[in-house]
Amino acid sequence: MTLGRFWPALFLIGLAACGPGGFSTSDDTVFAPSVDPRGAVVDQLTVGHRLMAAGEYELALSSFSLAAAEQGLTPEVLLSLGSANLALGRLNQAEDLLRRAAKDAPESPDAWNNLGVVLIEKGETAEAAQVFRRAFGLDNGESVAIRDNLRLALAKLENSQYDAEIEQEYKLVRRGSSDFLIRPTQ
């Protein structure tokens, strides 16, 4: 094998290295850009809201936590943290955060609405209806979502009474010391 056949390839590689970019990295690489210490700080609440809209609730929760570290536990941060926990199905954490947000910003219909959603999910329909009424009043009836939530809570509240006849169709039968069985009555 002779090097004579490879000289043109080596010559072209050498020319490529002499070009304007040479072998240096270009601006469209797959690597992360370097950090600019003079760059603008990104608002973590905005990032979190965008992540929520994209369905990335865990990442949104992380972003809202960063916002809490930067701004403190403002009502908006509490509402955002509570909403992310609600989206993740963490109802107890969401309830605590949303109650604090509603207490700190009692004029916020969003805080009351989201608190109502948590309560309806937990089966606390009566309190949820009261909370939705408050959110509806604060919003002046303009939000279709709050109005629909109020209707749902009121419908569940009206249909929540149990039927005594159905309750008496079954009886609890004890089998052994700690074993119970539900049997229909004949």
Side-chain angles (χ1 to χ4, degrees):
M1 197 172 262
T2 63
L3 288 177
R5 294 188 338 198
F6 294 111
W7 280 111
L10 290 172
F11 179 71
L12 289 176
I13 290 173
L15 284 178
C18 294
F23 285 119
S24 64
T25 60
S26 66
D27 291 337
D28 59 341
T29 65
V30 296
F31 301 105
S34 61
V35 176
D36 182 8
R38 297 173 312 232
V41 176
V42 178
D43 180 32
Q44 291 298 318
L45 277 176
T46 304
V47 172
H49 291 305
R50 289 179 182 163
L51 289 167
M52 288 287 287
E56 296 291 338
Y57 307 122
E58 282 287 345
L59 293 173
L61 185 62
S62 297
S63 184
F64 293 143
S65 297
L66 287 172
E70 292 171 359
Q71 302 172 15
L73 289 175
T74 64
E76 185 179 4
V77 171
L78 288 168
L79 173 62
S80 300
L81 286 166
S83 299
N85 277 301
L86 173 61
L88 290 167
R90 300 173 183 161
L91 299 180
N92 291 329
Q93 289 135 329
E95 182 181 4
D96 292 342
L97 291 164
L98 292 170
R99 283 191 189 278
R100 286 179 60 188
K103 179 183 173 196
D104 292 350
E107 71 286 347
S108 170
D110 292 334
W112 290 105
N113 180 60
N114 289 359
L115 177 59
V117 170
V118 169
L119 294 171
I120 211 88
E121 288 290 320
K122 290 180 74 176
E124 299 172 14
T125 310
E127 186 180 2
Q130 291 175 347
V131 168
F132 284 134
R133 279 191 185 109
R134 186 165 191 168
F136 187 74
L138 289 169
D139 189 53
N140 294 325
E142 294 178 10
S143 172
V144 175
I146 293 175
R147 182 175 45 231
D148 289 343
N149 288 340
L150 177 59
R151 284 182 187 159
L152 173 70
L154 293 174
K156 281 189 167 195
L157 194 59
E158 289 175 7
N159 295 330
S160 68
Q161 287 109 14
Y162 64 90
D163 192 359
E165 184 177 309
I166 294 174
E167 183 180 75
Q168 292 182 7
E169 290 181 3
Y170 298 94
K171 64 179 180 177
L172 192 62
V173 178
R174 187 174 186 168
R175 296 182 347 179
S177 62
S178 63
D179 191 17
F180 294 91
L181 178 67
I182 298 175
R183 285 200 165 163
T185 57
Q186 303 289 337

Coordinates of all heavy atoms in Angstrom, one line a residue, residues 113 132 139 142-151:
N113 N -60.3 28.6 43.4 CA -60.7 27.6 42.5 C -59.9 26.3 42.6 O -60.4 25.2 42.7 CB -60.7 28.1 41.0 CG -61.1 27.1 40.0 OD1 -62.2 26.6 40.1 ND2 -60.2 26.7 39.1
F132 N -65.8 27.1 45.8 CA -66.1 27.5 44.4 C -67.1 28.7 44.4 O -66.9 29.5 43.5 CB -66.8 26.3 43.7 CG -65.8 25.3 43.2 CD1 -66.1 23.9 43.4 CD2 -64.6 25.6 42.7 CE1 -65.2 22.9 43.1 CE2 -63.7 24.6 42.3 CZ -64.0 23.3 42.5
D139 N -64.5 36.2 40.9 CA -64.2 36.3 39.5 C -65.4 37.0 38.7 O -65.3 37.2 37.5 CB -64.1 34.9 38.9 CG -63.6 34.8 37.5 OD1 -62.6 35.5 37.2 OD2 -64.3 34.2 36.7
E142 N -67.0 35.4 35.4 CA -66.4 35.5 34.1 C -65.7 34.3 33.6 O -65.6 34.0 32.4 CB -65.5 36.7 34.0 CG -66.1 38.1 34.2 CD -65.2 39.2 34.2 OE1 -64.0 39.0 33.9 OE2 -65.6 40.3 34.5
S143 N -65.2 33.5 34.5 CA -64.5 32.3 34.2 C -65.4 31.1 34.0 O -66.2 30.7 34.9 CB -63.5 31.9 35.2 OG -62.9 30.7 35.0
V144 N -65.4 30.5 32.8 CA -66.2 29.4 32.5 C -65.8 28.2 33.3 O -66.6 27.4 33.8 CB -66.1 29.0 31.0 CG1 -66.9 27.8 30.7 CG2 -66.7 30.2 30.2
A145 N -64.5 28.0 33.6 CA -64.0 26.9 34.3 C -64.5 26.9 35.8 O -64.9 25.9 36.3 CB -62.4 26.9 34.3
I146 N -64.4 28.1 36.4 CA -64.9 28.2 37.8 C -66.4 28.0 37.8 O -66.9 27.3 38.7 CB -64.6 29.6 38.4 CG1 -63.1 29.8 38.5 CG2 -65.2 29.8 39.7 CD1 -62.6 31.1 38.9
R147 N -67.2 28.5 36.9 CA -68.6 28.2 36.8 C -68.9 26.8 36.7 O -69.8 26.2 37.4 CB -69.2 29.0 35.7 CG -70.7 28.9 35.6 CD -71.4 29.8 34.5 NE -70.7 29.7 33.3 CZ -70.3 30.8 32.6 NH1 -70.5 32.0 33.1 NH2 -69.6 30.7 31.5
D148 N -68.2 26.1 35.8 CA -68.4 24.6 35.6 C -68.0 23.8 36.9 O -68.7 22.9 37.2 CB -67.6 24.1 34.4 CG -68.1 24.6 33.1 OD1 -69.3 25.1 33.1 OD2 -67.4 24.5 32.1
N149 N -66.9 24.3 37.5 CA -66.5 23.6 38.8 C -67.6 23.8 39.9 O -67.9 22.8 40.6 CB -65.2 24.1 39.3 CG -64.0 23.6 38.4 OD1 -64.1 22.7 37.7 ND2 -62.9 24.4 38.5
L150 N -68.2 25.0 39.9 CA -69.3 25.2 40.9 C -70.5 24.4 40.6 O -71.1 23.8 41.5 CB -69.6 26.7 40.9 CG -70.8 27.1 41.8 CD1 -70.5 26.8 43.3 CD2 -71.1 28.6 41.7
R151 N -70.8 24.3 39.3 CA -72.0 23.4 38.9 C -71.7 22.0 39.3 O -72.6 21.3 39.8 CB -72.2 23.5 37.4 CG -72.9 24.8 37.0 CD -73.1 24.8 35.5 NE -73.6 26.1 35.1 CZ -73.5 26.6 33.9 NH1 -73.0 25.8 32.9 NH2 -74.0 27.8 33.6

